Amino acid sequence: YAQDTPTTDFFDQIKTYDLSTILSADSILTEDSEDGKEKFKRAEILGFIGDNYQRLFIHFVSVIQNPTNPYEYLVFGKTKVKETVCSFQGTITVRQARIYKIGDIPTYKQGFATCDLVLYEDKKQPSTGFIKGKLKSEFLIDNKGQFRYDAISFSADGFSNNQFIGSWTSYKTDASKKCNWGDYRIPECGDLDIGAGEFSVDDKYLKNGWTNYRLAWGPYS
């Protein structure tokens, strides 16, 4: 969707839904119509840290809607850069939610939530810091009222969801590095991703943690 697609405000209503079903979905339902559905295991989040696009692994172990503030989600998980694994905890807070006026399936509502994210890695572990930035998650509400991950355009070129743009800042030095991630594509990743239809790593960055991705997904990844 282009940024100028007309939308209506959904902020008041989003609090009655649970965004954790989109943020930590195990599987996604792709569809090209109300009847043509297919279930897929959701792929691992793709991410990088720093100007050399070092691969970042991030996994949300739990995402729980705060019972006292329905716009806030309490998150716990792990990051991995090279051989360093760190646990983190933090919050994802919904700041905006909108519904597109025109969707792909007339009986569905499609929309997005824009959130502030802050994650604090465990200070007891070496080389740790905090991650801060903006996360955009695309959702749909189907004709049965189910709130779920929007994968209607899953087979289209450039499909993505849960797009995060931010930075990682060291506790020790206060130095910051770019830190972005997403499902299926990474936003603002420069020349790391040379794929047209799907995410594909430029050869010059393979040494920065991407070799296994290439081996798993073949020469076009």
Side-chain angles (χ1 to χ4, degrees):
Y1 283 101
Q3 293 299 314
D4 55 1
T5 305
T7 59
T8 54
D9 188 48
F10 196 68
F11 186 70
D12 284 347
Q13 297 95 313
I14 194 78
K15 67 178 183 289
T16 63
Y17 294 96
D18 187 352
L19 199 62
S20 71
T21 57
I22 284 89
L23 298 169
S24 57
D26 284 329
S27 59
I28 59 177
L29 201 59
T30 70
E31 51 202 311
D32 46 25
S33 69
E34 290 177 26
D35 305 315
K37 296 185 173 77
E38 195 174 350
K39 200 171 187 178
F40 282 88
K41 184 170 171 55
R42 178 181 164 207
E44 215 172 306
I45 296 170
L46 297 166
F48 75 81
I49 183 168
D51 291 332
N52 64 348
Y53 301 114
Q54 178 66 43
R55 189 172 187 187
L56 165 83
F57 293 87
I58 182 161
H59 180 70
F60 292 98
V61 176
S62 74
V63 180
I64 299 166
Q65 193 171 26
N66 186 339
T68 61
N69 175 3
Y71 291 107
E72 183 180 74
Y73 291 81
L74 310 173
V75 298
F76 167 75
K78 293 187 175 182
T79 57
K80 181 184 175 195
V81 177
K82 296 179 183 174
E83 298 309 312
T84 305
V85 177
C86 290
S87 54
F88 64 74
Q89 52 189 349
T91 56
I92 295 171
T93 308
V94 179
R95 297 297 182 200
Q96 184 190 43
R98 317 256 336 150
I99 294 284
Y100 297 110
K101 285 186 176 176
I102 300 167
D104 294 309
I105 296 177
T107 56
Y108 286 17
K109 289 178 180 169
Q110 286 170 273
F112 64 89
T114 307
C115 311
D116 286 339
L117 174 146
V118 59
L119 306 176
Y120 297 97
E121 291 178 330
D122 184 351
K123 285 185 176 176
K124 298 192 204 72
Q125 294 172 292
S127 308
T128 51
F130 65 90
I131 296 168
K132 196 172 185 180
K134 296 275 183 194
L135 174 71
K136 183 181 180 184
S137 296
E138 306 262 354
F139 60 81
L140 64 79
I141 300 165
D142 69 18
N143 55 352
K144 296 183 177 69
Q146 294 287 109
F147 181 82
R148 51 188 173 84
Y149 191 108
D150 185 351
I152 288 176
S153 59
F154 184 73
S155 58
D157 285 357
F159 175 81
S160 66
N161 200 346
N162 290 325
Q163 299 286 284
F164 174 78
I165 296 171
S167 61
W168 175 89
T169 303
S170 165
Y171 292 134
K172 191 183 282 186
T173 66
D174 282 335
S176 290
K177 295 178 177 180
K178 275 194 302 187
C179 180
N180 298 355
W181 67 71
D183 293 352
Y184 301 96
R185 301 306 274 244
I186 310 175
E188 296 185 13
C189 65
D191 60 352
L192 169 67
D193 179 3
I194 55 168
E198 54 195 49
F199 184 80
S200 180
V201 178
D202 190 308
D203 286 355
K204 66 185 172 188
Y205 296 114
L206 289 176
K207 63 184 186 297
N208 299 336
W210 293 100
T211 305
N212 283 347
Y213 184 84
R214 170 70 63 82
L215 291 172
W217 296 98
Y220 301 106
S221 303

